[in-house]
């Protein structure tokens, strides 16, 4: 898209150009709304991290929330500068985080517990090296979609085996935000027009919906894992709005 103000960061080197015009509101932020729309994800991930740490959930959930936060920060750096190197620094952690979700989803039933994390680490490292040398474009997107599709059936299985109505509502919000966020991404990517009087900011809305999506996904997974561990999980709400999982671990005698 055409530039507005002069650029503090220099020429755009990213291989992706989103629908938002560059440097319209600030010479320090290439895509203003695409940058700031990551803030909700950071705040929600911070809330999730505090909750999982305070109640001493398994470390995998603290890592999951922390990875959501780090990914949003990398995304801020990428959209603020539109540098190619920061684009890759954003895309590679996306794959790593999806592999982390695969681990959290499948590890409870995995018989070879040491083999699975080793395989995922090697897989993630291999992808990072290949992506850094070949600079995958459509290949990255197809790869990401395939990994996401591996997660969805498992989430649906957990949904079917969950009787708690509040936990099911959390899972439904996860599903709805995933669909709506994806539609926003496609809308921004496919239907972008310079003739629009107002930019609907589809990519920025994708960030917002996926920030909500990741928080609700993590909350639902925490509930399911607590059920597996016999921790009597219960979905409660901050100020009657934001759900989180409260557990009651059995006392060790």
């Amino acid at each position: 898209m055409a530039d507005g103000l002069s650029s503090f960061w220099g020429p755009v080197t990213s291989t992706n150009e989103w629908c938002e015009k560059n440097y319209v509101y600030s010479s320090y932020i290439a895509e203003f709304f695409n940058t700031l729309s990551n803030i909700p994800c950071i705040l929600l991930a911070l809330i999730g991290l505090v909750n999982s740490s305070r109640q001493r959930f398994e470390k995998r959930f603290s890592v999951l929330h922390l990875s959501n936060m780090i990914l949003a920060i990398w995304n801020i750096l990428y959209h603020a500068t539109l540098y190619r190197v920061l684009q890759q620094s954003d895309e590679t952690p996306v794959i790593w985080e999806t592999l982390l979700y695969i681990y959290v989803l499948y590890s409870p039933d995995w018989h070879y517990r040491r083999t699975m994390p080793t395989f995922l680490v090697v897989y993630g490292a291999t992808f990072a090296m290949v992506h850094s040398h070949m600079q995958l474009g459509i290949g990255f997107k197809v790869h990401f979609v395939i990994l996401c599709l591996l997660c969805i059936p498992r989430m649906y299985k957990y949904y079917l085996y969950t009787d708690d109505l509040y936990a099911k509502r959390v899972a439904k919000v996860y599903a709805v935000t995933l669909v709506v966020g994806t539609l926003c991404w496609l809308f921004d990517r496919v239907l972008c027009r310079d003739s629009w009087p107002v930019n609907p900011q589809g990519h920025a809305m994708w960030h917002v919906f996926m920030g909500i999506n990741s928080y609700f996904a993590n909350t639902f997974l925490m509930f399911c894992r607590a059920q597996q561990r016999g921790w009597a999980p219960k979905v409660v709400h901050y100020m009657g709005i934001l759900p989180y999982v409260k557990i009651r671990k059995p006392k060790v005698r």
Side-chain angles (χ1 to χ4, degrees):
M1 304 296 292
D3 290 348
L5 301 174
S6 60
S7 164
F8 174 81
W9 303 106
V12 170
T13 58
S14 168
T15 59
N16 288 330
E17 275 280 28
W18 306 102
C19 199
E20 184 176 1
K21 292 183 179 181
N22 300 338
Y23 299 105
V24 172
Y25 298 97
S26 171
S27 60
Y28 299 99
I29 303 177
E31 295 177 334
F32 187 80
F33 291 103
N34 286 351
T35 299
L36 297 187
S37 56
N38 283 283
I39 294 176
C41 181
I42 295 174
L43 296 178
L44 289 172
L46 181 59
I47 292 172
L49 178 62
V50 170
N51 179 46
S52 62
S53 300
R54 181 174 58 84
Q55 298 195 79
R56 297 183 180 179
F57 271 87
E58 292 169 304
K59 290 182 180 179
R60 66 185 68 182
F61 294 106
S62 294
V63 173
L64 204 55
H65 288 295
L66 188 60
S67 70
N68 293 151
M69 194 183 310
I70 293 173
L71 186 59
I73 293 172
W74 275 117
N75 203 262
I76 285 175
L77 295 175
Y78 163 52
H79 284 288
T81 62
L82 291 181
Y83 279 170
R84 171 61 187 169
V85 64
L86 290 176
Q87 177 186 344
Q88 285 192 285
S89 298
D90 171 59
E91 290 174 345
T92 299
V94 166
I95 299 299
W96 290 348
E97 185 178 71
T98 312
L99 294 175
L100 180 58
Y101 274 106
I102 290 175
Y103 171 75
V104 172
L105 283 163
Y106 286 94
S107 61
D109 296 332
W110 192 263
H111 298 293
Y112 305 99
R113 295 190 176 183
R114 293 184 179 179
T115 305
M116 185 182 187
T118 302
F119 169 76
L120 293 177
V121 168
V122 172
Y123 188 95
T126 302
F127 172 82
M129 290 186 290
V130 171
H131 191 30
S132 65
H133 286 85
M134 299 182 64
Q135 298 184 356
L136 303 174
I138 187 66
F140 159 75
K141 297 178 179 66
V142 171
H143 189 203
F144 173 61
V145 170
I146 292 173
L147 292 179
C148 288
L149 290 176
L150 291 175
C151 295
I152 292 175
R154 190 69 173 183
M155 290 289 283
Y156 184 61
K157 178 183 178 181
Y158 282 164
Y159 175 83
L160 291 178
Y161 281 87
T162 300
D163 296 325
D164 187 273
L165 293 179
Y166 290 104
K168 281 183 173 291
R169 289 178 185 174
V170 170
K172 288 177 181 177
V173 173
Y174 154 79
V176 170
T177 52
L178 179 61
V179 172
V180 175
T182 301
L183 290 175
C184 289
W185 187 93
L186 289 171
F187 187 87
D188 185 88
R189 199 70 184 148
V190 177
L191 300 177
C192 179
R193 300 290 183 272
D194 286 328
S195 58
W196 285 345
V198 177
N199 187 345
Q201 301 297 342
H203 195 74
M205 294 306 300
W206 150 263
H207 290 159
V208 173
F209 279 114
M210 293 312 294
I212 298 171
N213 173 268
S214 60
Y215 178 83
F216 276 77
N218 296 354
T219 301
F220 181 66
L221 290 175
M222 290 168 70
F223 180 91
C224 294
R225 183 57 177 165
Q227 252 188 345
Q228 293 172 347
R229 300 297 300 271
W231 291 346
K234 182 180 179 181
V235 176
V236 293
H237 296 80
Y238 291 113
M239 298 180 291
I241 301 175
L242 189 65
Y244 70 97
V245 179
K246 188 175 182 180
I247 59 176
R248 187 174 66 253
K249 293 182 179 180
K251 295 182 180 180
V252 180
R253 295 181 180 179

